[in-house]
Amino acid sequence: MTYAVGIDFGTESARALLVDCEDGTEVAVEVHAYESGVIDEQLDGVPLEPEWALQDPRDYVSSLQHAVPKLLAEAGVPADSIAGIGIDFTSCTMLPTLADGRPLCFVDELRGEPHAWVKLWKHHAAQSEADRINAVAGERGEPWLQRYGGRYSSEWFFSKALQILDEAPEVYARADRLLEAADWIVWQLTGIETRNMCTAGYKAMWSKRDGFPDRDFFAALDPRFADVVDEKMSRALAPLGGRAGGLCERAAAWTGLLPGTPVAVANVDAHVSVPAVGVTGPGRFVAIMGTSTCDVLLGADLAPVDGMCGVVEDGVLPGLYGYEAGQSAVGDIFAWFVEQVGDTHSALAADAARLRPGESGLLALDWWNGNRSVLVDADLRGLIVGLTLATRPPEIYRALIEATAFGTRVIVESFERAGVPVDGIVACGGLPDRNPLLMQIYADVCGREIEVASSAQAPALGAAMFGAVAAGVHETIVDAVHAMAAPPQVTYVPDPVHFETYDALYREYLRLHDLFGRGGDDVMRNLKALQRSTPIAVS
Amino acid sequence: MTYAVGIDFGTESARALLVDCEDGTEVAVEVHAYESGVIDEQLDGVPLEPEWALQDPRDYVSSLQHAVPKLLAEAGVPADSIAGIGIDFTSCTMLPTLADGRPLCFVDELRGEPHAWVKLWKHHAAQSEADRINAVAGERGEPWLQRYGGRYSSEWFFSKALQILDEAPEVYARADRLLEAADWIVWQLTGIETRNMCTAGYKAMWSKRDGFPDRDFFAALDPRFADVVDEKMSRALAPLGGRAGGLCERAAAWTGLLPGTPVAVANVDAHVSVPAVGVTGPGRFVAIMGTSTCDVLLGADLAPVDGMCGVVEDGVLPGLYGYEAGQSAVGDIFAWFVEQVGDTHSALAADAARLRPGESGLLALDWWNGNRSVLVDADLRGLIVGLTLATRPPEIYRALIEATAFGTRVIVESFERAGVPVDGIVACGGLPDRNPLLMQIYADVCGREIEVASSAQAPALGAAMFGAVAAGVHETIVDAVHAMAAPPQVTYVPDPVHFETYDALYREYLRLHDLFGRGGDDVMRNLKALQRSTPIAVS
């Protein structure tokens, strides 16, 4: 038997999966929770500004040290039966390091400096840098901008890098390398700095045809930023499906795997899920639903899609354009609400399931963490309208689910309007399995069937597929999909009566969406400005 | 010593107060909770429609039977030292009765009929009748309409009466009398049907100069409604400060008071609070703050005020115009929120007090129970904007308080714009004593000092004052005020820095207020229409 290990580095934990390379059987899975989790309140006792979200790279290494040995023990397979390793990571999750890959936050005199740590994907404090990037790119007519739906996000690589330069120029100066955590972990596994095309394309303005933007563009942002690519990054980018190197001695000791075991080029959790759910061609919209949702759609041609996150040639599968969109909070919103009311998901969902569409009279805008697609604005905020003295928690819970479903429909329609066909929807990630009500509402809101992937571990499975390709067990990722992916497990079929009611509610959602999201009413922005400027009372 | 008894019939309970007529000393108080409370979910097991709110008249009688004897016992005073009795009631709280005053819901074959019961002030199911009244009045150019701020409310008398006719014509036909519960309880006390000018003026289109609207107007609403006044009401209306009669034998047995004890003409809880807090002239805005808020302001002249509830000559004190406005949910909103999150008022208030204005980034529209002033629209709904994953319950709690304060400022400014001066604000009712944070926020939002009345029992004290006048202990209500009212206990002074931030937030509130409240965006109305029309799934 030949196995591959896929390791999915998520927001709160990493999970390692052992998969049979022949038929995709998932033999064992092991989850390791990060000790520091998301660092968003304080760093060593010093409060962080709002919108910050950091991580500790030790947690990534610790995941390798704990999850992989346990995985092998649990599966009862010897290290020499592991053909290859693949990893995927959240993105854009980036960090500054020394030339040898040592994170700046490991340097004693820098550990108290927040900018020396990993900036997690949901670090939202670089909005002013993103605004500057968009303004300069707009003025200069930068051609790459349309590949980002016309707006470069505060979550992306150069917004975060520029924030380091703006706010901590000494940290920026000390950083020999700026890179995605995905590539950093591959570096730790192989001892070789290897950067992947996927994150470069989706987060760092790169494309296969044009490379990175000109030096002039970066200089226009800040003269000290002119040579960021050549000084701290790399123009050598490895294609997906490639082999980054063999497992180094140190990482072999961490994991219990054999030195030299092939390690795949790094991938991103969302994008790697596409092959995992069996999608190898255009038309099937893959929604990776968890704390947030990433949507990936393959297309044969390049089209500018209003408000998408990015489109990258070969960014998901070779020979196709991979389109990415997303919603910056989904499961996070439901978890937030559950925490506020002190109830459980299952109790709220059971009561919410008994409600008819429209029955509560509630409508929400799902912008608890800003809006990634199609408005690309981290300053937007959540809204609930229709509250009465008779409103009860299950009604709000359902309205929040509906709001995220409306958000998905906006994205699907945006692709279709731009001429990128959507023939079907496949859901995977942590949410679909846990919440059938949610999937039925998505089907009813979108008026389309929604298939749920059979693997509950899509990213780790996809990573393992790439590990199998890096090992040469399968020649291409498409071959790996044919061998290792299972057909969808469940299909949710829309109820036509519910669809009709939701269609009317969706019109209301769209009106509020445009009113608050497209500048018809600036209340959210003004509230945020007031929030930042309120004088601190002397007490 | 000479005493008066004031009985305040509230939403959930009645409270009886024994007061020294000479100096206003509050000797004893006794509260009796209504057994059925607010009947808004089901009547004898049959579910009520949304927006319904009924009461059982037995609870009013039961309050007399329990609270008054206990009050006398607690105070240790003999029945012959009670000079007079006054009552006040919520309004418009109305019921249909037989000719002898027997409520229709006491008639066996009608007890299952919701329309036979008392419609509580917050019964909001007569909006379509109110819409019809406003449309017909507008077409006919009815002059009384401007005394109701240009819109007659779904809460008022003829909206509720017309709903009975619309939905239960057989109940309407059986009703010999339609009257305010305030007048019904005075009828029970004295044995004589006596209607007061205050409710007739504020709720039933009556004025001292013009009487009721013409028969033609009522006929235009429905031919069967043409003679509602002459058939089921009365054109004989008693002025405030008058004596309705002496306590009848039956009521004397209920209460332990002496037969013949003078009983004052009925009053309304809000209006009777004005003398209780020591206000006898124009300029001081009295806010009676509880589950909802009623605002009463005296003026020397008649002015049309946009969106006020009503203005009545002699409606509060003789010789002055009494203006009424209000907010249909205040304490109810905070109680709703406390229930959702399962915390306590005191814990939430303590945490909310540590927040600076604007710090949460939240803003709410306080329309959980529609909007009484200045929009007069029961179909409006609550809204919260600015929610994020970091939002915590004390922030929402504070935003809800702020929203009700903004609502008060809208009302104060509406009076000033109409030329009715506001020189000061006096707060009374259940909320001000219990929640100092709330009072400080109101002062900071309005940018004015707010005095809190010294009596925690303002309505009952006002009722007792009228009881003393009915008994002839004081010649006029103004004399009673001079003898019996105490000066305000606490004054909240606005913080100028907070006022400035709140002023900016108020601009945002006003924009949302006009957007959602004045038809710029119909989302609330559309949601409500959808809510009513959603098909019931077969399960």
Side-chain angles (χ1 to χ4, degrees), chain A residues 113-276:
Chain A
E113 169 51 67
H115 279 293
W117 294 70
V118 177
K119 287 190 168 59
L120 185 61
W121 64 272
K122 66 175 167 179
H123 174 89
H124 278 157
Q127 186 64 50
S128 68
E129 284 77 13
D131 291 345
R132 196 154 103 230
I133 287 169
N134 285 309
V136 170
E139 277 164 31
R140 292 173 51 89
E142 290 287 330
W144 54 265
L145 192 59
Q146 75 163 14
R147 294 199 315 270
Y148 292 88
R151 269 181 80 87
Y152 189 77
S153 165
S154 74
E155 288 184 9
W156 292 176
F157 195 86
F158 288 114
S159 303
K160 284 169 168 159
L162 191 55
Q163 193 199 1
I164 303 178
L165 177 60
D166 277 354
E167 299 179 7
E170 69 293 352
V171 174
Y172 183 82
R174 283 294 293 277
D176 297 314
R177 314 303 292 155
L178 291 171
L179 78 170
E180 289 272 351
D183 291 331
W184 182 81
I185 202 75
V186 166
W187 191 354
Q188 302 309 300
L189 287 167
T190 61
I192 307 155
E193 182 186 343
T194 308
R195 295 181 182 237
N196 75 85
M197 282 186 175
C198 177
T199 53
Y202 283 105
K203 316 294 174 183
M205 304 179 187
W206 178 87
S207 79
K208 197 167 90 169
R209 287 161 204 255
D210 302 328
F212 287 102
D214 291 345
R215 188 181 183 281
D216 290 353
F217 165 70
F218 292 110
L221 293 172
D222 190 312
R224 297 167 298 173
F225 208 57
D227 294 307
V228 59
V229 173
D230 291 316
E231 283 174 7
K232 299 175 196 290
M233 297 170 65
S234 171
R235 294 184 192 274
L237 295 163
L240 299 183
R243 181 176 177 280
L247 199 66
C248 67
E249 293 286 345
R250 188 177 62 160
W254 289 343
T255 57
L257 294 171
L258 298 184
T261 307
V263 177
V265 169
N267 220 309
V268 175
D269 50 5
H271 307 78
V272 81
S273 297
V274 172

Side-chain angles (χ1 to χ4, degrees), chain A residues 41 122 328-329 332-333 336 339-342 356-363 367-369 380-393 395-396 495 497-498 501 504-505 508-509 511-512 515-516 520-524 526-528 530-532 534-537, chain B residues 41 122 328-329 332-333 336 339-342 356-363 367-369 380-393 395-396 495 497-498 501 504-505 508-509 511-512 515-516 520-524 526-528 530-532 534-537:
Chain A
E41 295 190 346
K122 66 175 167 179
S328 38
D332 267 352
I333 303 180
W336 170 88
E339 195 190 327
Q340 307 314 303
V341 298
R356 303 188 302 278
E359 182 179 343
S360 70
L362 295 174
L363 181 63
W367 303 342
W368 264 247
N369 194 19
L380 295 175
R381 298 298 181 90
L383 177 148
I384 306 177
V385 60
L387 296 157
T388 76
L389 297 173
T391 301
R392 293 292 166 259
E395 296 175 305
I396 299 178
D495 173 321
V497 175
H498 288 185
T501 305
L505 274 172
E508 300 299 324
Y509 177 90
R511 287 200 304 142
L512 291 181
L515 181 69
F516 289 104
D521 193 294
D522 280 336
V523 65
M524 293 179 189
N526 296 347
L527 287 173
K528 186 152 180 173
L530 264 175
Q531 188 176 29
R532 284 173 176 156
T534 51
I536 296 174
Chain B
E41 296 190 345
K122 66 175 168 180
S328 38
D332 266 354
I333 302 179
W336 171 86
E339 195 191 326
Q340 307 314 304
V341 298
R356 302 188 303 281
E359 182 178 342
S360 70
L362 295 174
L363 182 63
W367 302 342
W368 263 247
N369 194 18
L380 294 176
R381 299 297 181 90
L383 176 148
I384 306 177
V385 61
L387 295 157
T388 76
L389 297 173
T391 301
R392 292 293 166 262
E395 297 176 304
I396 299 177
D495 174 322
V497 175
H498 288 184
T501 305
L505 274 172
E508 300 299 325
Y509 176 90
R511 287 201 303 141
L512 290 181
L515 181 69
F516 289 104
D521 194 294
D522 281 336
V523 65
M524 292 178 191
N526 296 347
L527 288 172
K528 186 152 179 174
L530 265 173
Q531 188 177 28
R532 284 173 176 156
T534 50
I536 296 173

Side-chain angles (χ1 to χ4, degrees), chain B residues 137-409:
Chain B
E139 277 164 30
R140 293 173 47 91
E142 290 287 329
W144 54 265
L145 191 59
Q146 74 164 13
R147 293 199 316 270
Y148 293 87
R151 270 181 78 87
Y152 189 78
S153 165
S154 74
E155 288 183 9
W156 292 175
F157 194 87
F158 289 115
S159 303
K160 284 168 168 159
L162 192 54
Q163 194 199 0
I164 303 178
L165 176 60
D166 277 355
E167 299 179 6
E170 69 294 354
V171 173
Y172 183 81
R174 283 294 293 277
D176 298 314
R177 314 301 293 154
L178 290 172
L179 79 169
E180 289 272 349
D183 291 332
W184 182 81
I185 201 77
V186 166
W187 189 353
Q188 301 311 299
L189 287 167
T190 61
I192 307 156
E193 182 186 344
T194 308
R195 296 181 182 236
N196 74 87
M197 281 185 176
C198 178
T199 52
Y202 284 105
K203 316 295 174 181
M205 304 179 188
W206 179 86
S207 80
K208 199 167 86 168
R209 287 161 205 255
D210 302 328
F212 288 102
D214 291 346
R215 187 180 184 281
D216 290 353
F217 165 71
F218 292 109
L221 294 172
D222 189 312
R224 297 167 297 172
F225 209 56
D227 294 306
V228 60
V229 173
D230 291 316
E231 283 174 7
K232 299 175 195 289
M233 298 170 64
S234 172
R235 296 184 191 272
L237 295 163
L240 300 184
R243 182 175 177 279
L247 201 64
C248 67
E249 293 286 346
R250 186 178 63 160
W254 289 342
T255 56
L257 294 171
L258 298 184
T261 306
V263 177
V265 169
N267 219 309
V268 176
D269 50 5
H271 306 77
V272 82
S273 297
V274 172
V277 303
V279 170
T280 56
R284 284 169 81 203
F285 181 96
V286 180
I288 302 96
M289 304 174 65
T291 52
S292 67
T293 286
C294 278
D295 304 308
V296 183
L297 177 65
L298 298 173
D301 306 303
L302 180 65
V305 181
D306 184 40
M308 71 177 160
C309 302
V311 53
V312 176
E313 190 178 0
D314 302 347
V316 176
L317 290 180
L320 292 167
Y321 288 90
Y323 291 88
E324 185 195 343
Q327 294 174 259
S328 38
V330 178
D332 266 354
I333 302 179
F334 316 143
W336 171 86
F337 183 69
V338 164
E339 195 191 326
Q340 307 314 304
V341 298
D343 205 335
T344 63
H345 280 286
S346 55
L348 288 167
D351 289 340
R354 281 189 279 274
L355 297 166
R356 302 188 303 281
E359 182 178 342
S360 70
L362 295 174
L363 182 63
L365 289 176
D366 50 315
W367 302 342
W368 263 247
N369 194 18
N371 177 294
R372 195 183 295 152
S373 299
V374 298
L375 298 168
V376 201
D377 188 342
D379 282 352
L380 294 176
R381 299 297 181 90
L383 176 148
I384 306 177
V385 61
L387 295 157
T388 76
L389 297 173
T391 301
R392 292 293 166 262
E395 297 176 304
I396 299 177
Y397 186 77
R398 186 174 177 120
L400 295 176
I401 291 176
E402 289 167 349
T404 65
F406 293 139
T408 295
R409 184 166 163 186

Side-chain angles (χ1 to χ4, degrees), chain A residues 74-118:
Chain A
E74 190 193 326
V77 301
D80 64 5
S81 68
I82 308 299
I85 309 163
I87 70 101
D88 68 271
F89 225 103
T90 62
S91 175
C92 166
T93 293
M94 58 86 77
L95 71 163
T97 74
L98 299 175
D100 63 0
R102 205 169 140 217
L104 288 195
C105 59
F106 289 5
V107 177
D108 276 348
E109 70 270 23
L110 291 176
R111 62 169 288 117
E113 169 51 67
H115 279 293
W117 294 70
V118 177

Side-chain angles (χ1 to χ4, degrees), chain A residues 194-435:
Chain A
T194 308
R195 295 181 182 237
N196 75 85
M197 282 186 175
C198 177
T199 53
Y202 283 105
K203 316 294 174 183
M205 304 179 187
W206 178 87
S207 79
K208 197 167 90 169
R209 287 161 204 255
D210 302 328
F212 287 102
D214 291 345
R215 188 181 183 281
D216 290 353
F217 165 70
F218 292 110
L221 293 172
D222 190 312
R224 297 167 298 173
F225 208 57
D227 294 307
V228 59
V229 173
D230 291 316
E231 283 174 7
K232 299 175 196 290
M233 297 170 65
S234 171
R235 294 184 192 274
L237 295 163
L240 299 183
R243 181 176 177 280
L247 199 66
C248 67
E249 293 286 345
R250 188 177 62 160
W254 289 343
T255 57
L257 294 171
L258 298 184
T261 307
V263 177
V265 169
N267 220 309
V268 175
D269 50 5
H271 307 78
V272 81
S273 297
V274 172
V277 303
V279 170
T280 56
R284 283 168 83 204
F285 182 95
V286 180
I288 302 96
M289 304 174 66
T291 54
S292 67
T293 287
C294 278
D295 303 308
V296 184
L297 177 64
L298 299 173
D301 304 304
L302 181 65
V305 181
D306 184 40
M308 71 177 159
C309 303
V311 53
V312 176
E313 188 177 0
D314 301 346
V316 176
L317 290 179
L320 291 167
Y321 287 90
Y323 291 87
E324 184 194 345
Q327 293 172 261
S328 38
V330 178
D332 267 352
I333 303 180
F334 316 143
W336 170 88
F337 183 69
V338 164
E339 195 190 327
Q340 307 314 303
V341 298
D343 206 334
T344 64
H345 279 287
S346 55
L348 288 167
D351 288 341
R354 281 189 279 273
L355 297 166
R356 303 188 302 278
E359 182 179 343
S360 70
L362 295 174
L363 181 63
L365 288 177
D366 50 317
W367 303 342
W368 264 247
N369 194 19
N371 177 293
R372 196 183 293 151
S373 298
V374 299
L375 298 168
V376 200
D377 189 341
D379 281 352
L380 295 175
R381 298 298 181 90
L383 177 148
I384 306 177
V385 60
L387 296 157
T388 76
L389 297 173
T391 301
R392 293 292 166 259
E395 296 175 305
I396 299 178
Y397 187 76
R398 185 172 178 122
L400 296 176
I401 291 176
E402 290 167 349
T404 65
F406 293 139
T408 296
R409 184 166 164 187
V410 168
I411 293 169
V412 168
E413 292 187 351
S414 190
F415 277 113
E416 291 192 307
R417 216 171 16 249
V420 184
V422 177
D423 305 325
I425 299 179
V426 189
C428 62
L431 280 183
D433 270 351
R434 286 204 305 268
N435 202 327

